[in-house]
Every structure is written in C-alpha cells, then in structure tokens.
C-alpha cells in the first residue's frame, strides 16, 4: 500500500528547506474567530480566499494582531485574492473595500446545495495553482467552532474531496481526512502540537485499524460509533503511522504559545 506523508510544518515560523517544495498551500478563511496563527499562514500562502463572511473576519480581526500599526495599512497588506460564496454574510462596507483593492468577488448565491467552503475548494482545484504541485494543501481557518451544522458541513467537505489535502484549523486543533487508500505517516511538531489526538471513523465503521506512535496504539482494532472510538489518545513521539480499512478523521491539539505567530 502506498504511503501518504503528512506534516504541519506550515505552523512553523519558517518552513524547513527540505519541506518547502512540498508545502505549497492555499488558505480559506471562514466566518469564525481567526486563529492566532492566521497572519503566519496568510503570509506564506500561494492563494488567499475568504468564504463569504470570512472577509469580515479578515477586515475586523487581522488589525487586532498588530495593535501598534495603522488598521488601514494592515487591511491593505492582508488583501484576499478571492471572495467567494453565497454572499449572505459579508457586510457591504467590507465588500466595497476589497473590491476597491482589486479582490476578485464571485457571487454564487444561485447555488444553495454546496457550502461556502465547498465553493472555495472548487475554485482552488480549478485554478492554475493546482498545476504547480500535486501536493497542494488547503488550509481552512475558522472551520471549527460556532454552529454544529456548519462544523458537520465542513467535515463533510473532507469526504467530498478525498483526493485533495484539506486541513480544518482552529485555535485548539486541526482535523484532516486519512483516506483508506493509503498507509499514513504523520510527522508531529512536538513544540506546536499534541499531546492529545484522536482517530474517528465517521460515515462507515472500521473493522481493522492499526497504529504506531500513540500512547494507546490500535492493532487490527474495530472502531465505530456506538462502540470504540479513539478519542483522548496521546502522541508519544514525532511520527505516527495509521493504516485502516476505512477513511478516518485525524485530529491533534495545537499548543497555545507564541511560536505560531509571525
């Protein structure tokens, strides 16, 4: 079985040289509180999108990360490349501000069958950036917290695009899909992540899941809702391996410290 490698080096202030070529990513900002490491992710992203009301967050909250600088200068510096969604949440003043800066605005209010995150994922997948690197990642901030139906919709996006590396981020944790088609090796950044983690089978049960590197490893273990689910597990080292007959959600906590700020 082919191995898929995972790293959260995008949370590091500087990406190691041996990983720089494989860590190209786009950032999608959703309409929840910005994680403290948003400026860092924004600076290194190849493409920057706001999903509808996510533009309000960039406009209102990014200047708060730089209290000693002029808010207008910050808003000009952190300009989204694209704002896309059904446009029911973005404020008119924010919309007009970014239009004046040349941000591309795509109104898809006619499409009520997909989420704003869906709409942004499709834009990124169809963009020229997709041709630059088959290992492109999409980082979605503000994807967790708030209304549970929004969270469930964002988790569903991971399953809708299993061939695209999508990571949902909040101040507290990240979540990504581990497709059953691969064996997975996950590089842990101990100064930034852990120790708490989990493997969760949403959608279909797992008859056999095997791991290494966890405090409570699994060996051909069955997991399902209504039975065993590997929550509140802990990482022991810097590499985790996972192999399963079912798609799994991997989640790990993100430590609260200054090393993730620019």
């Amino acid at each position: 079985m082919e191995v898929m490698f995972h790293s959260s080096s995008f949370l590091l202030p500087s990406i190691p040289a041996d990983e720089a070529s494989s860590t190209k990513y786009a950032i999608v900002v959703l309409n929840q509180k910005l994680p403290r490491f948003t400026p860092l992710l924004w600076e290194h992203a190849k493409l920057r999108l706001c999903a509808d009301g996510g533009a309000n967050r960039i406009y209102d909250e990014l200047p708060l990360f730089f209290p000693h600088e002029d808010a207008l200068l910050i808003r000009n510096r952190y300009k989204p490349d694209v704002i896309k969604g059904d446009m029911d949440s973005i404020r008119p003043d924010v919309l007009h501000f970014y239009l004046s800066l040349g941000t591309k605005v795509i109104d898809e209010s006619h499409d009520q069958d997909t989420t704003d995150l869906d709409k942004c994922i499709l834009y990124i997948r169809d963009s020229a950036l997709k041709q630059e690197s088959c290992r492109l990642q999409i980082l979605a901030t503000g994807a967790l917290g708030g209304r549970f139906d929004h969270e469930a919709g964002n988790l569903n996006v991971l399953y809708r695009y299993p061939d695209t590396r999508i990571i949902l981020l909040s101040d507290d944790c990240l979540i990504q899909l581990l497709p059953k088609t691969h064996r997975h090796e996950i590089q842990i950044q101990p100064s930034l992540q852990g120790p708490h983690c989990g493997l969760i089978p949403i959608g279909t049960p797992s008859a056999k899941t095997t791991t290494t590197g966890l405090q409570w490893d699994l060996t051909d273990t069955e997991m399902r809702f209504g039975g065993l689910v590997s929550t509140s597990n802990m990482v022991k080292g810097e590499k985790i391996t996972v192999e399963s007959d079912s798609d799994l959600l991997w989640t790990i906590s993100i430590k609260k410290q200054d090393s993730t700020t620019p």
Side-chain angles (χ1 to χ4, degrees), residues 148-260:
F148 178 70
D149 59 331
H150 284 165
E151 286 187 313
N154 293 332
L155 293 175
N156 187 50
V157 165
L158 301 182
Y159 285 84
R160 282 170 59 86
Y161 309 104
D163 59 335
T164 302
R165 291 172 178 256
I166 304 169
I167 301 176
L168 309 181
L169 288 158
S170 73
D171 248 342
D172 301 305
C173 70
L174 65 79
I175 300 177
Q176 66 188 103
L177 185 72
L178 304 183
K180 64 183 178 182
T181 51
H182 291 74
R183 181 175 176 270
H184 299 273
E185 289 192 9
I186 305 167
Q187 186 69 33
I188 307 299
Q189 309 290 340
S191 63
L192 303 175
Q193 297 175 291
H196 299 97
C197 64
L199 285 165
I200 304 171
I202 290 183
T204 58
S206 168
K208 292 183 178 181
T209 295
T210 298
T211 68
T212 65
L214 300 179
Q215 183 70 43
W216 295 282
D217 272 320
L218 309 173
T219 304
D220 289 338
T221 302
E222 177 185 1
M223 292 196 297
R224 61 182 177 85
F225 274 88
L228 174 68
V229 177
S230 182
T231 60
S232 298
N233 211 324
M234 300 179 75
V235 296
K236 289 197 303 183
E238 295 188 10
K239 185 175 81 171
I240 308 300
T241 68
V242 180
E243 187 171 346
S244 181
D245 63 346
S246 174
D247 296 338
L248 298 176
L249 291 179
W250 163 255
T251 181
I252 187 168
S253 58
I254 298 175
K255 295 179 179 177
K256 285 182 165 51
Q257 56 185 38
D258 292 339
S259 58
T260 52

Side-chain angles (χ1 to χ4, degrees), residues 75-93:
R75 288 172 180 143
N76 278 273
R77 185 192 311 168
Y78 292 91
K79 176 186 76 71
D81 299 307
V82 178
I83 299 172
K84 187 177 183 183
D86 60 13
M87 313 308 284
D88 64 345
S89 299
I90 187 171
R91 300 197 311 268
D93 62 310

